[in-house]
Amino acid sequence: MTTTTRTLDVPGAVLTFDVHAPRREAGCPPLLVIGNPMAADGFAELVAELGDRTVITYDPRGTARSPRERPTDEVTVDDHAADLHVVARAVDRGPLDVLGSSGGGVTAVSWAAAHPGEVRRLVAHEPPLTALLSDRDVAVRAQQDVVDTYHRSGTGPATAKFLRLVSATEPLTPDYLDQPDPDPAAFGLPTEDDGRRDDLMLGTSLATMPRWEPPLDDLRAGVRSTDLRVLPAVGAASPPGGLAYRGAVALAEALAVRPVVFPGDHGGFARHAGAPDNDPAAFAARLRDLLAC
């Protein structure tokens, strides 16, 4: 593949994205792969397995190569969706296929609802759509507590609370909020505050994303009136009670479709220390099947 990196100036930020062009196209639409807060480099193993079509990867505003003018400003789901619209217009290759992972799946849902003609197939892989969950009230408060902890005490204590939250395998009850604070050192995290407050996820996304209400009526209208198809997806190795897994299932129920299953866990497109059995090639093969053109 040949990779070209581009930047776009938008209000409040500079967006950076990569266009990975294959030696030979198979005739399929370009595939936009997005995470949040994961940046483009987190998908490198997956991109290497997708050599038959153009793949676009992207750093959301506030991550990696897409700096914000004011790093502590709030960024909403709809802000990220507007950025995706700008990137799609810059690529200018017709309706795109999209893999949105985690928070990237949430922002892709917002974008597809607002601009359904820009998306052909959207695979929303474990989007943490808290507003659709039965335990939404507790889950919103738990995520806000992570943000409050970050602003009060810094990265280590906040990240420890986040890791405890995403490790939960059952719907949250009010008792969850009464637990003692976890020890950052138990997670191998720093206990001292480095003074930084510019982390996108800990500083803003966990406050804005859980409260975001998916525009389901707009999404359904887009499915009816355009070529848009939305495919909520879960990982075969993910705990079914996790927030992100349940978000995908709830989206599928709201759209009256069945969730599709991918190999691996929440980040099944990449191997990492916590999931050495993840298989990017198998993930790519499943994605290719779903996006057949």
Side-chain angles (χ1 to χ4, degrees):
M1 280 189 167
T2 300
T3 300
T4 302
T5 299
R6 298 179 58 184
T7 59
L8 295 169
D9 291 324
V10 295
V14 176
L15 306 179
T16 300
F17 66 97
D18 304 305
V19 179
H20 309 274
R23 293 182 179 179
R24 181 177 300 173
E25 291 271 9
C28 293
L31 170 64
L32 174 61
V33 178
I34 49 177
N36 195 314
M38 181 174 283
D41 59 1
F43 296 101
E45 292 176 87
L46 178 63
V47 171
E49 300 292 341
L50 297 169
D52 57 350
R53 68 162 75 195
T54 295
V55 181
I56 303 144
T57 52
Y58 162 77
D59 293 350
R61 73 163 61 205
T63 70
R65 303 165 298 167
S66 294
R68 291 174 281 174
E69 289 179 2
R70 292 179 292 276
T72 59
D73 279 2
E74 180 178 272
V75 184
T76 68
V77 171
D78 292 333
D79 290 334
H80 286 301
D83 290 343
L84 294 176
H85 172 59
V86 171
V87 170
R89 287 174 63 88
V91 172
D92 194 24
R93 290 281 300 273
L96 303 175
D97 285 340
V98 181
L99 168 65
S101 168
S102 192
V106 176
T107 56
V109 165
S110 176
W111 169 43
H115 302 281
E118 295 179 353
V119 181
R120 187 186 78 108
R121 299 285 185 273
L122 166 56
V123 177
H125 186 259
E126 300 203 357
L129 290 162
T130 303
L132 300 182
L133 303 181
S134 61
D135 56 342
R136 58 176 291 171
D137 292 342
V138 177
V140 165
R141 291 172 62 192
Q143 290 172 87
Q144 181 65 52
D145 181 52
V146 174
V147 175
D148 293 343
T149 300
Y150 177 63
H151 287 294
R152 182 177 62 248
S153 304
T155 301
T159 303
K161 286 188 174 182
F162 173 74
L163 292 176
R164 181 174 67 183
L165 177 63
V166 298
S167 298
T169 57
E170 300 286 343
L172 305 180
T173 64
D175 292 345
Y176 179 90
L177 302 170
D178 297 331
Q179 298 179 87
D181 290 349
D183 180 7
F187 294 89
L189 298 167
T191 56
E192 295 188 5
D193 187 354
D194 63 6
R196 296 188 62 177
R197 296 295 186 271
D198 58 354
D199 185 277
L200 177 70
M201 181 184 74
L202 298 175
T204 182
S205 293
L206 289 177
T208 59
M209 194 170 286
R211 291 181 168 84
W212 181 73
E213 297 280 350
L216 296 173
D217 288 342
D218 291 342
L219 200 61
R220 296 184 188 105
V223 169
R224 289 194 301 268
S225 63
T226 71
D227 291 334
L228 170 66
R229 295 294 178 269
V230 181
L231 305 171
V234 297
S238 295
L243 282 174
Y245 189 108
R246 291 192 289 123
V249 172
L251 178 62
E253 291 174 351
L255 298 178
V257 299
R258 304 184 88 175
V260 299
V261 180
F262 274 78
D265 63 1
H266 184 66
F269 45 80
R271 293 183 180 88
H272 54 87
D277 294 330
N278 278 350
D279 185 346
F283 192 100
R286 179 64 169 138
L287 184 62
R288 190 177 288 109
D289 287 344
L290 291 170
L291 302 179
C293 54

